[in-house]
Amino acid sequence: MVAGIEGRSQLGPCAFATALHRDHEKDRLGKVTDAGRVLVITGAGVSAESGIPTFRGEDGYWRNLDPAKLATPEAFARDPKLVWEWYRERRQCIRNAQPNAAHAAIAKLAQRAGDLLLVTQNVDDLHARAGLPKEKMVQIHGDIFLSRCSRCDWRAELCDAEERGTRNNSGLAGARPSTGPNEHEIQQTDLPYCARCHALMRPGVVWFGEQLPWDEVRRVEDYLGRGACDLVIVAGTTATFGYIIDWALRASTDGGQLIEVNPDETPVSTFATQRIHEPAAIALPRLIDQICNP
Ligand SMILES: [Zn+2]
């Protein structure tokens, strides 16, 4: 299974919902119980509302460079320093951002649903910071705060140990889990190297053309294998990747509702039992209120 990229733009012009639409939502959602199985799939549109730049449009450009060309193994091989600078800036941007109402609503739904899994294409930590437990979340395109060796399977969460490690030329030895979103990552010009094999460390994300992380795919497949879902919500994603559509359809195949929240039409729209053409931060709190208080 080949991935595309670890971030996707989404947020187009704001759409609107009619009163009729809202009534329709309520009717259908009354059938979803607290014991239900719920799959939620999110994309860059959810984080865009927290101010995380997306990969599309002028806002996505960095130093006049196209992110779609930076987020590739080829770009990293050609200029790892440039790619690392971009990722360090993105990490800082994410640290400065706050979860929005969409993140909070999904965390609330996770508390109420019987068996919820969130599959997010976002590499930021905003779902976790909104209170969603890690065991209920799959970051299918990786984790921007994770670094991994480009050669062996060594990995580390970046922290100030990275700075110490590179300064004393011992790679990421001693790296420990990040202490939190406000932790200050020291800007450095040196490249990080693996503590075990001394190869270059790289951001722990999935780049264009790379395989999805097998462990994470396995977690999604295990969840789908346990039974059909009562409700599938696909929010803030253009659903460009075949596996996103596949998972959404398989999860809802046995009569479950498939609700799409996205300002624009996507490949999932055709199959959705309900489409809400609004940004996730507006639509999800209302939708999830209805689910939790039918
Ligand atoms: Zn290594």
Side-chain angles (χ1 to χ4, degrees):
M1 191 176 289
V2 175
I5 201 165
E6 41 78 15
R8 276 286 169 181
S9 164
Q10 188 47 234
L11 193 61
C14 289
F16 59 90
T18 64
L20 181 66
H21 204 158
R22 283 193 284 271
D23 288 345
H24 187 57
E25 286 173 23
K26 200 161 188 172
D27 287 347
R28 297 194 72 102
L29 293 172
K31 299 172 185 169
V32 176
T33 69
D34 282 357
R37 300 190 80 235
V38 181
L39 175 68
V40 181
I41 300 175
T42 61
V46 170
S47 292
E49 292 162 63
S50 288
I52 308 296
T54 65
F55 275 30
R56 290 186 183 173
E58 290 180 6
D59 291 347
Y61 272 65
W62 177 75
R63 297 185 190 173
N64 287 325
L65 297 169
D66 181 356
K69 292 177 181 161
L70 282 171
T72 64
E74 293 78 17
F76 188 69
R78 192 168 53 241
D79 195 343
K81 190 174 167 186
L82 180 73
V83 173
W84 262 118
E85 283 176 28
W86 181 48
Y87 276 94
R88 288 192 180 111
E89 282 195 23
R90 291 181 60 201
R91 283 173 170 169
Q92 198 55 48
C93 172
I94 292 165
R95 288 190 178 102
N96 293 339
Q98 296 300 323
N100 63 52
H103 297 107
I106 293 167
K108 177 181 171 185
L109 182 59
Q111 289 181 334
R112 299 291 299 273
D115 186 10
L116 179 142
L117 183 71
L118 169 75
V119 177
T120 183
Q121 299 163 84
N122 299 335
V123 299
D124 61 57
D125 60 353
L126 296 179
H127 280 298
R129 282 161 58 195
L132 193 78
K134 287 238 171 186
E135 65 270 17
K136 295 190 177 191
M137 173 169 48
V138 169
Q139 284 188 285
I140 200 65
H141 290 169
D143 175 352
I144 197 170
F145 291 109
L146 191 70
S147 296
R148 60 185 174 88
C149 179
S150 55
R151 183 192 295 157
C152 75
D153 60 359
W154 179 260
R155 52 184 58 214
E157 286 191 58
L158 284 194
C159 59
D160 55 0
E162 181 195 22
E163 166 69 6
R164 291 196 301 273
T166 47
R167 196 162 49 202
N168 67 18
N169 203 29
S170 62
L172 282 161
R176 55 176 166 68
S178 168
T179 52
N182 297 320
E183 170 198 5
H184 175 63
E185 181 182 340
I186 299 167
Q187 292 298 317
Q188 60 181 62
T189 54
D190 295 333
L191 288 166
Y193 289 91
C194 176
R196 186 188 291 165
C197 80
H198 307 293
L200 263 179
M201 295 293 282
R202 53 162 285 177
V205 299
V206 178
W207 283 329
F208 269 123
E210 293 190 310
Q211 300 288 316
L212 294 177
W214 174 245
D215 290 353
E216 301 303 284
V217 171
R218 188 73 261 160
R219 289 181 60 210
V220 179
E221 291 295 336
D222 285 349
Y223 177 81
L224 295 178
R226 289 204 298 274
C229 290
D230 302 290
L231 172 64
V232 179
I233 299 173
V234 181
T237 174
T238 48
T240 308
F241 304 119
Y243 46 87
I244 296 297
I245 302 167
D246 177 58
W247 288 334
L249 296 189
R250 282 166 56 202
S252 58
T253 191
D254 198 19
Q257 292 184 55
L258 172 55
I259 300 177
E260 181 180 51
V261 177
N262 201 56
D264 304 311
E265 294 281 311
T266 80
V268 167
S269 304
T270 307
F271 306 100
T273 54
Q274 183 181 347
R275 294 186 295 277
I276 305 174
H277 294 299
E278 290 179 286
I282 293 171
L284 279 180
R286 184 182 71 237
L287 179 66
I288 287 169
D289 265 349
Q290 291 168 0
I291 294 168
C292 294
N293 306 292

